[in-house]
Amino acid sequence: MRHSDLQAFIVKSKGEKKKVIADIIGFDAVIDFRNALGTSLNKLEKDPELALAKKTLEKNRGILMTLFNKLCSN
């Protein structure tokens, strides 16, 4: 490698370095898939319907536990 190639690599950001190395070792498809999953997760976490579903789940879980405790105490 040339000195200028090494210097150019060193000044790259962490993400750019990962991409270059992934391209060299053939790992770029895995990184692209991981990034797609991360993007999907971020979209889901920002989805108001998911937040409502989580809230409803916790509420119903509390009701279920109350009913279970009443049943066990009888």
Side-chain angles (χ1 to χ4, degrees):
M1 288 186 101
R2 294 182 181 162
H3 178 69
S4 61
D5 293 335
L6 288 173
Q7 187 175 10
F9 179 79
I10 290 170
V11 297
K12 289 183 185 286
S13 69
K14 183 178 178 180
E16 291 171 329
K17 288 176 187 175
K18 273 185 176 178
K19 182 71 176 153
V20 169
I21 292 171
D23 288 341
I24 293 169
I25 64 172
F27 205 62
D28 52 337
V30 174
I31 290 178
D32 291 342
F33 181 70
R34 180 182 173 271
N35 290 340
L37 285 177
T39 300
S40 298
L41 178 63
N42 288 337
K43 286 181 181 178
L44 280 173
E45 288 176 340
K46 292 177 183 177
D47 188 349
E49 287 185 35
L50 180 61
L52 179 61
K54 284 182 177 180
K55 189 174 184 178
T56 303
L57 178 65
E58 288 302 318
K59 178 183 171 189
N60 289 340
R61 186 176 287 152
I63 292 169
L64 183 61
M65 289 305 296
T66 301
L67 292 172
F68 179 74
N69 287 335
K70 284 182 183 179
L71 182 65
C72 288
S73 65
N74 288 335

